[in-house]
């Protein structure tokens, strides 16, 4: 499980995930509706491109955040299902992405491993 805090360093990311999970998207802590790690670079890129195409307008200082994460099989392209995207502060998006990558590494979340996201 990875956690993000609504009062932590990435509140826009945490709020986006909380809102997305509230619509029924997978990964909510306390459920068995897991996210599943995806490691294939091409497939992660395809997930990102579907959720946040380069043609999408980005306001100054913002970047496109997608949920479920592009690094999961539930991502926009490979799930074939719903997803959420939101413009958030670019720095928060970059740093939260680095935290997710660190979670994968330090918790040894490998291809096909299931996990949840706790919003505090």
């Amino acid at each position: 499980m990875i956690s993000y805090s609504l009062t932590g360093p990435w509140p826009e990311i945490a709020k986006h995930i909380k809102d997305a999970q509230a619509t029924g998207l997978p990964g909510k802590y306390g459920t068995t509706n897991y996210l599943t790690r995806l490691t294939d670079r091409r497939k992660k890129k395809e997930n990102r491109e579907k959720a946040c195409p380069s043609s999408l307008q980005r306001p100054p200082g913002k970047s496109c955040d997608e949920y479920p994460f592009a690094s999961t099989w539930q991502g926009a392209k490979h799930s074939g299902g719903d997803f959420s995207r939101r413009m958030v502060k670019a720095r928060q998006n970059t740093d939260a992405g680095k935290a997710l990558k660190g979670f994968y590494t330090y918790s040894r979340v490998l291809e096909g491993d299931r996990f949840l996201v706790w919003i505090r």
Side-chain angles (χ1 to χ4, degrees), residues 17-32:
I17 295 169
K18 181 178 182 175
D19 292 347
Q21 289 176 342
T23 70
L25 289 175
K28 184 176 181 178
Y29 178 73
T31 71
T32 56

Side-chain angles (χ1 to χ4, degrees), residues 43-117:
K43 289 179 178 166
K44 289 190 294 186
K45 184 177 180 186
E46 290 169 350
N47 277 340
R48 261 187 215 97
E49 288 174 351
K50 175 162 178 136
C52 295
S54 58
S55 60
L56 197 62
Q57 185 77 19
R58 286 149 171 89
K62 300 279 188 172
S63 69
C64 182
D65 180 44
E66 78 279 349
Y67 186 86
F69 307 122
S71 57
T72 67
W73 281 100
Q74 291 74 25
K77 166 87 173 160
H78 292 284
S79 70
D82 291 334
F83 64 92
S84 176
R85 72 173 160 232
R86 182 176 292 176
M87 294 299 158
V88 298
K89 290 180 182 174
R91 183 59 184 238
Q92 284 190 36
N93 202 6
T94 298
D95 290 349
K98 288 177 183 175
L100 180 62
K101 187 174 181 181
F103 162 71
Y104 289 151
T105 300
Y106 296 113
S107 297
R108 281 191 54 84
V109 180
L110 305 173
E111 173 68 35
D113 287 349
R114 301 180 314 172
F115 65 98
L116 296 169
V117 184

